[in-house]
Structures are given as structure tokens and as C-alpha cells.
Amino acid sequence: MEIKNHLMSIKYILIWAILLRFLIMPFFFHPDLKDINLRVSFLHIGIFNIYEYLKQNEFTKVNAPDFAYPPLAYFILGGYQSIVSPILGNDFKKWLFDFSDNKYGYQNIFFYLFSLKFIYFIFDLFTGLLIYKLLSNSNKQKLALSLWFFNPINLYAISAIGQFDIIPTFLSVLSYFFWNKKKTFLAGLSLGTAIAFKTYPLLFLPFYLLTKESLKNKIVFLITSLGIYGITILPFINSREFQNDVLFSGLSTRIFQLKVTLLDHQLSTFAILYLLLVIGYIFLRSKIPLYIFFIISLLLVFSTARFHPQWIIWLMPFLALAYGEGKINLKYISLFTFFYFIYFIFFGDSFLTTGLLSPISTLYLEIPSLTKIVPDNYQNLMGMFTQSSFAIVSLIIIIKLLRSKTLIK
């Protein structure tokens, strides 16, 4: 009877999680969803090197001049669009290429939004199930699963905004899952595929290699993970457009932009802190779980760079694991969530707040941003305040995670 009740409660969590996402996905619109799908739509006509094509085509040179993501994102998202586009109707392609204000008024826009986000919904769902599996020995297993599915950050960044960051996030968690199962090759394969979507999981690699795993397994993991990434970018590596748009773009190098002066040299604040964290792991690896250092690495990114709202998804499954293992409680997660939304409420981009509802009515675009209540000469100060507040909360969480030693089972 206990097992039956347990399965029923899991079923209800999943049902409500799915219903909630189905209610959000069709009605919230962020331009990035359309812009990315415009770019990957060129796979339909056989464009292989999207980076060069966008610079050569007269329309894209003005409206979509670059694609800032690795090739695997182009091919997977383009392939998915090829599958769903036949059911989206003839106006779908017209909508993708429409940069006028009419883009909000298409008859099937709600169906477009739902369908394009559906792939993210699938990875969102499977990420939750991975968290559940990883916490099989925890008495907070269902609570952690609920934290993943009903956390407002996830609903906002995945279901409302609709960015593909959930795909490399799922693959990163899958890598950790396989690593725990001693399936080194599959762990490396998963991490390499995650890196091939977005390069941020490279930050996790040194921690894997500094574990007490055997040297043979570490070599297999290293070759597999970097090999997958290398294979996917190899056909484009000599393309100047690929180098500029992906490898050395402002988006890729942003985390290194905050500098400190040390002995008359300008050094990246993040690089220094990350190096210290890697060194610290050598001494703490027996006491603190591997994934905690993934969380801290990402918190350092968010504390030292002006980040996009969807980036936060990278750490959310690991934060759910930390909650499920008693490493952190809801008080800190709630504080983190509050300052995350404060940060983006004052970001000045209406499409991160009321503008998300523009498919329902374009009047939502007319609602002034909260930054308008702050005089112009204080707006930079407000930005610094919200970013600093989020960094302070991140530091509090880092300290809490490093001091917590007891797992709740």
C-alpha cells in the first residue's frame, strides 16, 4: 500500500507539472525563441555552415547576422523544426521572417509557441526524473522533485521564455548520473554532448578529473567528452565567422570581463576565483559532493558577469539535489529566487516582464518597465545594486554549501 501511495503521489506531481507547463508555454513570448528558430530554419534548405550563410544572405545580414551557439544546437533544433513545421501550417515560415509588429497577431501564434517549446518541455521533464533517480536514498526525494517542477525560476526561464539551455542542462545532469553509476564512457559522452550545445559545462571538467576515480576512467572520460565536442566543431573550426560568432564572441568571453588589478596586471576576477575553487576541491573532495562544486562554479559566473535569465537553469537541477540531500534549505533557495527576479525586473527589458504576454495583447508592451520609476542618472546605480545583491546572496549560498557536511537520508 505504501508503494502504491508513493507512486500515486509521484503521478500527481507529474500531472500537475505537465498541466502547469501546458498553460504557460502557448501564451508567453520572448523574441529569442523566434530569432533562434529563424536561424535554424535554414537547415531545411540544406544550409550547412550557418555562420557563413548569415553573413552572406542580404536579409540575414540585416535581421539575423549571427548564430552565437555551437553547430550541434543548429542541427538538433533545425532538425526538430523540420519535424514539427509540417503541422504548423503555411504561415509559420512567414511568421519567422516577420519583423513587423504584426508578428504578435498571427492566428496560430499560440500553437507556434507551444510547438517550438515542446522539445524543451521534454528535456525539462526528463531532468526532473533524473533528479528523482539521483535522490533514490533521500527522504526528501518527492520534495526535491516538486522543487524542480514548481520552482518559479524554471517555469519562467524554460516554459515562458523558452530557451534551449535546458538541453545542455539535462545532459550535464545525465553525465553526473552516469558518473555515479561508474559508467565513465556514457558520462563523458553526455558531458561532451552538453558542451557541444553550450560550452559552459567545460567548467565541470576539472572537477571530474580531480576526483579519486581511477586514472584509466579519467582518461576515457576526458577523451570522450572533449572528443565529442571536437568532432562537432571540427568542420567549422577554420571558418572565421564561426570563430568570431561562437569561440571568441562577447557572449563566450563575458565571464572574463570583470577584472582586478594585481601587481600591475589586469586579471579576470572569475578566473582567479574559479582557480581557487578548483584547488580547494582537491582538499575538500572527500567531504563535499562533486555536484556542489558545479553549483559554486556557476554561482561565480553569475556573480561576476551580467548574465541572461535562462543561464540560471544550468544550476537549478544541482540546487534541487542539494536540497534533496539536506545541503541547503528552502529559506536560502527562496532568497535566491527572490533576488533573481528582482535582478531581471530592473533589467530594463520589457520582454523579461510584461512583454512576455504580448501574444495575448500588445498593450502589455506599452506597460513601462520598473526602471522608469528610477531617474535616468540613477539607473546604472540600480543595475549595480541588483547585481551586487544577487552576488551577495550567491556568496551566502556558497558559504552554506561549503559548511554543510551532513547528508539527510
Side-chain angles (χ1 to χ4, degrees):
M1 180 65 69
E2 184 178 342
I3 294 176
K4 184 178 179 180
N5 290 336
H6 176 77
L7 292 175
M8 286 291 287
S9 62
I10 297 301
K11 184 177 78 172
Y12 286 131
I13 290 173
L14 289 174
I15 289 173
W16 282 110
I18 291 169
L19 287 176
L20 186 57
R21 281 154 175 77
F22 281 9
L23 286 173
I24 294 172
M25 288 161 57
F27 303 111
F28 290 78
F29 169 75
H30 191 281
D32 282 357
L33 178 71
K34 179 175 169 293
D35 291 346
I36 289 174
N37 275 279
L38 166 63
R39 288 158 170 81
V40 303
S41 69
F42 293 109
L43 184 65
H44 304 188
I45 59 173
I47 301 301
F48 181 77
N49 191 330
I50 186 62
Y51 310 100
E52 292 181 358
Y53 179 81
L54 293 177
K55 296 293 192 296
Q56 296 166 358
N57 182 277
E58 291 301 321
F59 176 83
T60 58
K61 277 197 295 187
V62 176
N63 297 292
D66 55 37
F67 185 72
Y69 309 107
L72 190 62
Y74 173 67
F75 290 109
I76 296 298
L77 296 178
Y80 172 74
Q81 191 187 118
S82 298
I83 294 171
V84 299
S85 57
I87 66 170
L88 296 180
N90 296 329
D91 283 342
F92 173 63
K93 187 173 181 180
K94 181 181 175 182
W95 176 73
L96 288 179
F97 284 79
D98 191 342
F99 282 82
S100 72
D101 290 341
N102 295 330
K103 62 179 174 285
Y104 307 108
Y106 279 66
Q107 183 178 1
N108 292 324
I109 188 171
F110 300 121
F111 187 47
Y112 299 160
L113 295 175
F114 180 85
S115 301
L116 294 177
K117 292 177 184 178
F118 191 78
I119 185 173
Y120 308 146
F121 161 76
I122 296 296
F123 283 97
D124 183 1
L125 198 66
F126 279 107
T127 302
L129 296 179
L130 273 180
I131 293 168
Y132 184 78
K133 285 286 188 180
L134 283 163
L135 292 171
S136 58
N137 295 322
S138 171
N139 59 11
K140 299 176 78 173
Q141 188 184 31
K142 288 183 288 185
L143 290 173
L145 184 66
S146 298
L147 176 63
W148 171 258
F149 280 134
F150 303 112
N151 189 303
I153 289 179
N154 292 359
L155 295 170
Y156 172 71
I158 303 172
S159 301
I161 292 178
Q163 271 277 15
F164 69 85
D165 292 68
I166 185 58
I167 300 178
T169 297
F170 164 78
L171 292 166
S172 297
V173 180
L174 184 64
S175 175
Y176 180 70
F177 174 81
F178 282 134
W179 182 268
N180 280 356
K181 297 291 185 181
K182 305 297 182 183
K183 297 179 179 180
T184 312
F185 174 77
L186 292 176
L189 185 66
S190 300
L191 189 71
T193 309
I195 296 168
F197 264 94
K198 274 200 169 181
T199 52
Y200 82 87
L202 275 172
L203 295 172
F204 304 157
L205 190 57
F207 300 107
Y208 279 113
L209 299 179
L210 288 172
T211 60
K212 293 184 177 180
E213 189 59 66
S214 69
L215 180 60
K216 176 185 174 182
N217 285 343
K218 290 178 183 179
I219 292 173
V220 169
F221 183 82
L222 179 65
I223 292 174
T224 307
S225 56
L226 292 186
I228 292 297
Y229 176 58
I231 289 170
T232 58
I233 68 170
L234 187 60
F236 306 89
I237 200 68
N238 291 325
S239 168
R240 181 173 298 178
E241 291 79 7
F242 169 72
Q243 295 170 8
N244 292 336
D245 291 349
V246 181
L247 297 182
F248 308 114
S249 70
L251 200 61
S252 300
T253 59
R254 183 179 299 182
I255 64 173
F256 302 107
Q257 289 177 354
L258 183 63
K259 307 284 186 181
V260 293
T261 302
L262 190 64
L263 300 176
D264 296 326
H265 292 283
Q266 290 272 306
L267 300 175
S268 164
T269 304
F270 170 77
I272 294 171
L273 294 174
Y274 179 69
L275 180 60
L276 291 174
L277 182 66
V278 172
I279 294 171
Y281 177 67
I282 298 172
F283 300 98
L284 297 171
R285 60 188 177 182
S286 298
K287 301 177 181 179
I288 300 177
L290 176 64
Y291 73 87
I292 295 294
F293 288 86
F294 299 167
I295 296 175
I296 296 173
S297 298
L298 295 173
L299 287 174
L300 292 179
V301 170
F302 305 142
S303 300
T304 57
R306 197 157 175 80
F307 63 95
H308 292 281
Q310 67 271 14
W311 291 12
I312 211 75
I313 293 302
W314 305 346
L315 70 73
M316 292 308 293
F318 298 113
L319 202 59
L321 286 179
Y323 170 71
E325 291 192 335
K327 293 291 184 179
I328 194 167
N329 60 39
L330 281 179
K331 176 178 68 176
Y332 293 99
I333 295 174
S334 299
L335 190 67
F336 178 80
T337 302
F338 174 77
F339 279 97
Y340 167 82
F341 281 107
I342 289 294
Y343 181 72
F344 286 106
I345 283 173
F346 287 96
F347 209 73
D349 182 353
S350 67
F351 280 107
L352 296 179
T353 52
T354 55
L356 284 168
L357 290 166
S358 53
I360 297 175
S361 172
T362 55
L363 292 176
Y364 286 106
L365 294 171
E366 305 300 323
I367 299 175
S369 168
L370 282 180
T371 54
K372 299 299 182 183
I373 68 175
V374 181
D376 291 346
N377 54 328
Y378 288 104
Q379 286 190 11
N380 286 338
L381 187 62
M382 176 58 73
M384 291 174 60
F385 172 76
T386 56
Q387 188 168 11
S388 299
S389 299
F390 187 81
I392 291 170
V393 171
S394 297
L395 178 61
I396 292 170
I397 291 176
I398 289 172
I399 294 171
K400 175 65 178 175
L401 291 172
L402 289 176
R403 292 183 62 186
S404 180
K405 296 179 181 178
T406 305
L407 301 183
I408 294 180
K409 298 291 187 183

